[in-house]
Amino acid sequence: MAQSGGSIELRGLGKSFGDEDAVVDMNLQIEAGEFFSLIGPSGCGKTTTLRMIAGFEEPSTGEILLDGVDVAAVPAHKRPVNTVFQSYALFPHLSVEDNVGYGLRWQGGVDKADRRRRVGEALDLVQLAPYAKRRPHQLSGGQQQRVALARALVLRPTVLLLDEPLGALDAKLRKTLRQELTTLHREVGVTFVFVTHDQEEALEMSDRLAVMEQGRVVQCGAPREVYSAPRTAYVADFLGVANLLDVECLSSAGNGLRRVRLGDAELLATSVAGHMEGDGHVVIRPERVRLAISGAAAANAVVGTIEELVYVGATTQLVVRLAHDQLLQALVVNNGEHDDFVPGTPVTVALPPEALRLLAAS
Ligand code: ATP
């Protein structure tokens, strides 16, 4: 059931409710067939953006182009877009297959045989064919969500908007469904725009993602890029555990590197922020910190003492107090090389320049 995906372009898109700006000057290009996520904390404008793309909400400013065509004058039901919500809102008195086929009844030019075939294909796609005759209350939450997906896909949209579709499910089921959604996306080829406040979900599933803060996109890119090179402390913090350290910015070292002073040590950090002087912040992820027993030779390193240690099976989380008193989180893999780490152990803390990122002044 491969379908084609549509492209989406948002140009200066904004939405105000009274004097509250829910979405502000949003400019995004989502490619045909992409799995694109909008992430950010509650109230940052994710749902409002989706609702404008779907046609449920009228923009206050800007334009929405679907496949290059401005859709301002196109009502919601005529847009090649379908939405899957967190609450699946299935008809309780209809069977699974009738729920899935419901929208097709209202679409002209689809005869009964065609409808049955398309419903069958959609149910196969979400692995629910054996449940076709059941009623929604005879299904698990995950199965109901899959019915909602089939119901949206059967109409062959070129864009599928997913608003926290896994939000009502328990943690274990969410993980299984993440995998299923990624596979589904690959199989159907439709553009997915996925809204979530769960950063792990977005990092795992998306081709690209946009982090939103108070109605604005603050960074957009591939998950690996945004995670490893956050531009601001907000993005770094939103996308997982990040060490934020106070530094003094020194001179440029060329090649996108800058000298910074951390306590007494002079280190190199990657800088995309252009010229900065004086006080600044660097960020480094715990898994990029390299720890060695004190005295080991290491480049771009400071000294510290292990303060806390939490064993979590495959890895150990550590808190290290640096010589100048700032705290740093580190994560080491339990491969036998770090068994001598205990609280109080003096360590050399290497902070590789490519992983130590100077943030833009905010
Ligand atoms: P959540 O993750 O909680 O769903 P969100 O990021 O999707 O949040 P939106 O639902 O887009 O955020 O809301 C953005 C802002 O706009 C919020 O401050 C919200 O209160 C406001 N807002 C949304 N819809 C309306 C409305 N119909 N009338 C007034 N204000 C609204």
Side-chain angles (χ1 to χ4, degrees), residues 15-18 20-23 40-51 57 86 163-164 195-197 212 215:
K15 177 72 188 177
S16 306
F17 296 104
E20 184 178 350
D21 296 330
V23 175
S42 184
C44 71
K46 308 179 295 290
T47 297
T48 305
T49 307
L50 275 203
R51 289 177 57 79
E57 204 78 72
Q86 179 175 343
D163 194 353
E164 299 260 3
V195 155
T196 182
H197 58 257
M212 294 184 69

Side-chain angles (χ1 to χ4, degrees), residues 341-359:
F341 285 172
V342 290
T345 309
V347 282
T348 300
V349 183
L351 306 167
E354 66 281 6
L356 189 67
R357 325 259 333 174
L358 187 61
L359 296 175

Side-chain angles (χ1 to χ4, degrees), residues 245-247 260-268 282 284 289-305 320-328 346-352 356:
L245 301 167
D246 300 331
V247 292
V260 295
R261 189 182 307 285
L262 178 67
D264 287 339
E266 197 176 300
L267 304 175
L268 291 176
V282 287
I284 185 164
V289 173
R290 298 270 166 270
L291 295 182
I293 292 291
S294 186
N300 226 48
V302 291
V303 293
T305 308
V320 178
R321 186 171 291 279
L322 303 179
H324 60 286
D325 235 25
Q326 292 195 57
L327 291 176
L328 183 87
V347 282
T348 300
V349 183
L351 306 167
L356 189 67

Side-chain angles (χ1 to χ4, degrees), residues 96-114:
V96 164
E97 61 185 358
D98 287 344
N99 262 287
V100 173
Y102 189 81
L104 281 179
R105 286 172 182 270
W106 309 104
Q107 229 179 32
V110 187
D111 64 32
K112 206 170 168 188
D114 213 12

